[in-house]
Amino acid sequence: MTHEEMTRQYREYIQEYLGDFYRELHGEPQKQLFEAMEYSLLAGGKRLRPVFAFEFCRMCGKDWHAAAPFAAAVEMIHTYSLIHDDLPSMDNDDFRRGRPTNHKVYGEAMAILAGDALLTDAFMVAGSAVLEKPEDMGFAISLLAHCAGSMGMVGGQVLDILSEERTLTEQEVIDIQSRKTGALINAACVLGTVAGGGTEEQLEAAGRFAGALGLAFQIRDDMLDVIGNAEELGKSVGTDVSKNTFVRLYGLEKCEELVQRYTRVAIEALDIFEDNTYMIALAKSLTDRTV
Ligand code: GRG
């Protein structure tokens, strides 16, 4: 199977899995809530986090389908963060994943509730994983909460908001972005490794990969806000001008160099996995992504 076929297979599977999860609930009286949730959840996106979860599971030598509950959970949390981030009280964005943002279609109250429900349901899905070592479930759920909550993504968002009025140091920007973007990527990679029954060394390597890759990914994201195309990205560009981005800190040229550097560090962490060629190719392909 080619790398392109592997990506397509992972993406199609997560799309189906997420769709199936909510399909049977459509008869419920809170139908409008499900519609709002699915509107954003099934709108596509790169599905990068599920791909990471599947691939780390596969690299541990296990059938990658075992990682589906974790892959879905991380994608649901990611989708909730996008819905909430687009709200008028946050970034006040009109477009996401190539369509009007959730609150533009369903109203602010429903968008908040759709995000809340996606976050909460994510833990229901994650808890349905069947693990080789069932005793790992506690660790998995706690890691997911740690990455998503006050010590992870939400904490990073708060630090970002609180720092808007001042120029940050390099270390502060790295710390904020590692939480905001890196934490969920970490959850995807480490939980994929847990689903694959990975060793302590593999878990540590997955975390190291995610830390470096998360930074490379966010730096490229900051660059795309300046050099990207709104239509291709499916969201507005030029919205980060007043924010503490890597581009503001370093300028585009240095950012380009940093993306390469962090990607090399991420790839080095993959040495421990035997069949790592797909993940190496994927990491490299993200360095010059345009979406
Ligand atoms: C509001 C709870 C809350 C959290 C806000 C993660 C976050 C913190 C906000 C989302 C917006 C944002 C710019 C996040 C940075 C992470 C990032 C680069 C998100 C976009 O991820 P992609 O490119 O999106 O993987 P797709 O649509 O492809 O899944």
Side-chain angles (χ1 to χ4, degrees):
M1 197 181 276
T2 65
H3 289 163
E4 288 72 25
E5 284 165 349
M6 282 173 78
T7 303
R8 194 170 333 116
Q9 177 181 254
Y10 288 153
R11 283 184 178 155
E12 283 174 6
Y13 189 76
I14 196 66
Q15 185 74 10
E16 223 171 277
Y17 190 92
L18 292 167
D20 284 349
F21 181 71
Y22 284 112
R23 192 164 298 123
E24 61 196 56
L25 301 174
H26 270 225
E28 297 290 323
Q30 68 277 32
K31 190 169 179 286
Q32 209 197 335
L33 174 66
F34 293 122
E35 262 178 47
M37 292 160 82
E38 288 192 332
Y39 175 80
S40 296
L41 187 64
L42 303 182
K46 293 179 287 300
R47 305 299 196 202
L48 194 62
R49 294 152 191 82
V51 170
F52 283 153
F54 289 138
E55 184 58 10
F56 270 95
C57 181
R58 195 196 65 78
M59 284 196 297
C60 291
K62 188 146 188 210
D63 179 354
W64 57 268
H65 295 88
F70 292 152
V74 174
E75 189 66 11
M76 286 158 78
I77 295 175
H78 170 55
T79 304
Y80 122 76
S81 81
L82 299 179
I83 296 174
H84 281 194
D85 194 58
D86 291 335
L87 288 168
S89 57
M90 297 260 188
D91 272 3
N92 195 16
D93 273 317
D94 293 347
F95 285 96
R96 172 73 69 180
R97 289 178 166 172
R99 36 167 66 182
T101 42
N102 201 290
H103 65 272
K104 285 272 161 196
V105 179
Y106 295 97
E108 223 177 308
M110 195 56 72
I112 291 171
L113 292 166
D116 290 343
L118 281 167
L119 169 63
T120 317
D121 289 356
F123 287 88
M124 180 163 53
V125 182
S128 73
V130 179
L131 300 180
E132 208 166 87
K133 300 182 228 164
E135 66 273 20
D136 284 349
M137 186 56 94
F139 165 75
I141 297 294
S142 159
L143 176 81
L144 190 57
H146 189 274
C147 291
S150 58
M151 283 169 279
M153 184 181 70
V154 176
Q157 174 78 349
V158 169
L159 290 174
D160 204 12
I161 289 173
L162 294 179
S163 67
E164 261 167 24
E165 300 304 314
R166 62 188 181 93
T167 302
L168 299 181
T169 64
E170 175 178 341
Q171 196 47 53
E172 284 176 312
V173 177
I174 288 177
D175 182 44
I176 290 174
Q177 299 306 341
S178 296
R179 293 171 199 246
K180 237 181 101 171
T181 308
L184 272 198
I185 292 180
N186 180 274
C189 298
V190 176
L191 291 179
T193 308
V194 170
T199 62
E200 281 300 318
E201 291 75 21
Q202 287 173 327
L203 287 169
E204 186 276 327
R208 210 152 22 92
F209 169 86
L213 198 281
L215 283 171
F217 186 78
Q218 182 59 48
I219 296 170
R220 184 69 191 166
D221 205 69
D222 288 351
M223 291 172 70
L224 288 175
D225 189 65
V226 180
I227 60 170
N229 175 290
E231 213 169 306
E232 204 180 345
L233 284 163
K235 62 177 182 182
S236 318
V237 293
T239 54
D240 292 347
V241 274
S242 60
K243 293 187 185 167
N244 275 296
T245 66
F246 284 101
V247 172
R248 186 168 162 197
L249 196 65
Y250 300 119
L252 280 172
E253 206 174 315
K254 175 92 190 288
C255 279
E256 181 100 50
E257 199 185 303
L258 285 173
V259 171
Q260 299 295 339
R261 194 192 303 168
Y262 281 119
T263 303
R264 274 198 301 277
V265 175
I267 288 173
E268 273 165 27
L270 298 174
D271 280 351
I272 193 172
F273 298 97
E274 269 175 37
D275 187 4
N276 58 14
T277 51
Y278 171 80
M279 194 57 104
I280 291 175
L282 176 59
K284 284 185 182 165
S285 74
L286 293 173
T287 62
D288 60 358
R289 70 187 171 95
T290 53
V291 290

